[in-house]
Each structure stands twice: as C-alpha cells, then as structure tokens.
Amino acid sequence: MDLFDILFLSVALAMDCFTVSIVSGVLLKKKVWNVMLQTAFLFGLFQAAMPLLGWLATNGFQKYIEAYDHWIAFGLLVYLGIGMILESGRPEEDHHFNPRNLKTQLVQAVATSIDALAVGISLAVMGYERVGQLTFPLVAIGLGSLVMSIAGFLLGIRFGRGIRRRLKPELLGGIILLFIGFKILFTHLLN
C-alpha cells in the first residue's frame, strides 16, 4: 500500500468514530476538553490496536476472527443504540448514557474499532511480514481516528443546540449507532 492508500484507509476507519463523536458532542452541549481528548485518544488507540491484533491473530486464528468480528461490533453497537433510544424517553436527569463516563467511552471505542481487525488480517495477506512494517499504517489509522473524533465532537457541540431543540439527541444517537451496527453486519454478510 502506498501513502495515499494508507491515508484513505485511516479516514475510512475513522468515519464511525467521527459519527459517534458527533452524537457525543451533541450530548455534551459544550467543550469539555478532557472528555473530548480522552475519548478521541481511546478511539485512536483502539483503531490502531485492532489491526495489530488482527495481524497478530492471522497465524492460525484468521478464520475464527473473520467469522465473528462483525457480530461482535453489531452486538455492541445495538446494545449502545437501544440503550440510548430507551434513555431518550426518560427525563434528562435520569439518563445513564453519558459521554463523560469512561465505561461508555471504552464500549464506544471497542464497538467502532472491531471492523479494523479485518484490516490487520488484510495487511498480513498483503505482505506486511514484520511489526516494524506496520508502524506507519497503525500510526496513521490511530491519528486519523483521533483527529476525526475531535472534529466530530466540535461539530456535535456547534450544531447540537439546533438538534436538541428539534429532537432528542439520545434518540438520534441511538438510531445512528443502530444504523452503523446494521451496516457493519450487512456489509460482512454480503461479502
């Protein structure tokens, strides 16, 4: 893969992080840099770690990972999405989905990065034989997700006021997470 392939790959993998960050920004309502940076760091870390795990697992476990990665991502995203939709009907003081919560951030980071396992498997198949060869792609993927996550937060915060007036952000976020989960599932099942 050349430089542009790696950069396009990093942007493509970051799109789920970007979308989830927009929803989280809408829920935050204002810039809370420690939450935004922590979440963006976790998204970048998991997006970079999953291809490494996929690459490492290729020796003997490839068929097992490929068979279930989309189901795991689907399950986590549906769990989060349904939780957000259910919370949208509760009074705001009773909400449990909180982008400030580390557990929520970790579940989001894992859910949005599961499909990156397949990228690691692809890298192994494409001839990346040593860990050192993975350095640039993994750093690009991690930084791309980090930057796109921060951008998503800022967009969600900026335009969230208008969204909150028209509909409940938890409902919108839940629907978006369900959409991402079904997209991952159907993409893998159709291939």
Side-chain angles (χ1 to χ4, degrees), residues 6-24:
I6 292 169
L7 293 178
F8 284 127
L9 175 65
S10 70
V11 170
L13 287 174
M15 292 312 292
D16 289 347
C17 299
F18 177 71
T19 304
V20 171
S21 294
I22 290 173
V23 173
S24 293

Side-chain angles (χ1 to χ4, degrees), residues 19 77-78 173-186:
T19 304
L77 289 166
V78 166
I175 291 169
I176 289 170
L177 291 177
L178 288 174
F179 174 77
I180 293 170
F182 279 102
K183 180 193 80 149
I184 289 170
L185 180 65
F186 289 132

Side-chain angles (χ1 to χ4, degrees), residues 66 110 113-114 118 127 133 139 142 164 169 171 182:
E66 286 178 340
V110 171
S113 66
I114 293 285
Q133 293 175 302
V139 168
R164 280 191 302 276
L171 178 63
F182 279 102

